[in-house]
Amino acid sequence: MEYTAEQLGQLNKTLQELADEEYRTFHSKLIPNVDTVFYGVRVPVLRKLAKQIIKGDWRGFVEMTKQSAVYEMNMLCGMVIALAKCGFQEKLLYLEKFILSINNWAVCDIVCGDLKDVKKHPGEMYEFIQPYLLSEKEYEVRFAVVILLQYFVTEEYINDVLRIYDGIRHDGYYVKMAVAWGISVCFIKQRQITLAYLLSCNLDTFVYNKSIQKIVESFRVSGEDKKLLRSMRRREGVKSEAGT
């Protein structure tokens, strides 16, 4: 049955009824300077709604919400695409349109985390994200960076991932923080290769030091490694970006 405007209106009403004002105030502060409407619905609740939507005309829902100005609707759109049961190439077509609407780190990261079937189609996703790594748009680059840290920090791809991270020169804060997060995941999962990389990398000082910080903050890193990494922190201006 085709997804209708009436259903969308009812969903919007449901979201407002599920809103948590305390959570809305807290979460909206974590996503500053974004032109969007927050109701304050928690992620597990949204994911439950997304699973209900994919039982019906999820394609119709996606078409009606892919440019929504409501944070929760935008999140639901991405979740539905990520969780939908369909061919992977069809999913990538919907994802390509959805990525254009991403305007904050939370939607980006949660949708990336829900794309579990990437594990069955790594080659297709790896090729899909390549243009986004070269984009001038902050959240397009972040999307690709987060996909890499979620699904490609493996023996097969680790050298490619570190090479890609080393070459990213986007000035966006949320790109830089994603790269730092990604390198911390690389260290946790592929310690020796990543440690060798950190000793000779071309990361700018901000990203390099943030990477060290995120690794040190992890409970999965030994005290000995934390001590070593703290000693590797750079002073500002010690090493500039490659090519500058």
Side-chain angles (χ1 to χ4, degrees):
M1 184 179 295
E2 182 179 352
Y3 200 88
T4 66
E6 182 179 356
Q7 286 177 288
L8 188 63
Q10 181 58 52
L11 176 61
N12 190 61
K13 182 179 179 181
T14 298
L15 289 171
Q16 293 181 62
E17 291 171 349
L18 291 169
D20 180 331
E21 178 59 28
E22 185 177 346
Y23 179 71
R24 186 195 70 79
T25 301
F26 167 75
H27 194 59
S28 61
K29 290 179 180 177
L30 298 178
I31 309 176
N33 306 316
V34 175
D35 185 20
T36 193
V37 177
F38 290 91
Y39 290 151
V41 183
R42 296 176 183 272
V43 170
V45 177
L46 292 174
R47 192 170 285 115
K48 185 176 180 180
L49 289 171
K51 289 178 179 179
Q52 293 173 359
I53 292 167
I54 63 175
K55 294 177 182 178
D57 178 24
W58 63 266
R59 294 174 180 84
F61 171 81
V62 167
E63 288 299 327
M64 295 178 74
T65 57
K66 63 186 179 184
Q67 298 295 332
S68 179
V70 177
Y71 171 81
E72 284 82 1
M73 284 291 191
N74 192 232
M75 182 75 83
L76 276 172
C77 181
M79 285 179 168
V80 166
I81 294 169
L83 298 170
K85 305 300 182 183
C86 65
F88 197 68
Q89 284 301 315
E90 181 184 8
K91 180 163 295 195
L92 292 181
L93 289 174
Y94 280 103
L95 197 59
E96 185 176 12
K97 296 176 183 178
F98 173 74
I99 290 170
L100 298 173
S101 71
I102 298 176
N103 66 353
N104 64 83
W105 64 266
V107 168
C108 174
D109 297 1
I110 290 168
V111 171
C112 286
D114 280 351
L115 282 163
K116 303 300 185 184
D117 45 0
V118 170
K119 296 175 183 178
K120 297 179 181 179
H121 305 273
E124 292 166 85
M125 178 55 86
Y126 189 76
E127 290 302 315
F128 176 77
I129 64 173
Q130 296 308 308
Y132 295 108
L133 290 163
L134 303 175
S135 175
E136 296 181 357
K137 296 181 179 180
E138 186 169 13
Y139 291 105
E140 291 189 1
V141 182
R142 184 177 174 104
F143 174 85
V145 169
V146 175
I147 286 291
L148 287 173
L149 72 87
Q150 289 276 11
Y151 304 106
F152 291 92
V153 184
T154 63
E155 289 186 11
E156 180 180 358
Y157 283 98
I158 181 62
N159 289 314
D160 290 326
V161 170
L162 290 172
R163 172 183 54 78
I164 289 168
Y165 285 168
D166 204 55
I168 291 175
R169 293 294 179 269
H170 197 286
D171 289 332
Y173 174 80
Y174 291 102
V175 171
K176 289 176 177 286
M177 292 300 288
V179 172
W181 174 22
I183 290 170
S184 73
V185 173
C186 290
F187 187 91
I188 291 164
K189 293 186 175 182
Q190 303 286 339
R191 176 194 177 278
Q192 288 183 294
I193 293 173
T194 307
L195 180 59
Y197 161 75
L198 286 169
L199 291 170
S200 61
C201 68
N202 291 306
L203 297 171
D204 69 49
T205 298
F206 176 85
V207 176
Y208 177 87
N209 285 340
K210 280 294 179 183
S211 301
I212 297 293
Q213 177 186 329
K214 286 182 176 294
I215 297 169
V216 168
E217 289 173 349
S218 174
F219 66 89
R220 297 170 65 185
V221 175
S222 71
E224 184 178 350
D225 275 345
K226 290 181 180 184
K227 182 178 179 180
L228 171 63
L229 289 159
R230 289 189 183 104
S231 73
M232 291 168 56
R233 284 174 173 155
R234 292 184 198 154
R235 288 177 285 112
E236 289 294 329
V238 168
K239 187 171 183 178
S240 61
E241 287 191 36
T244 62

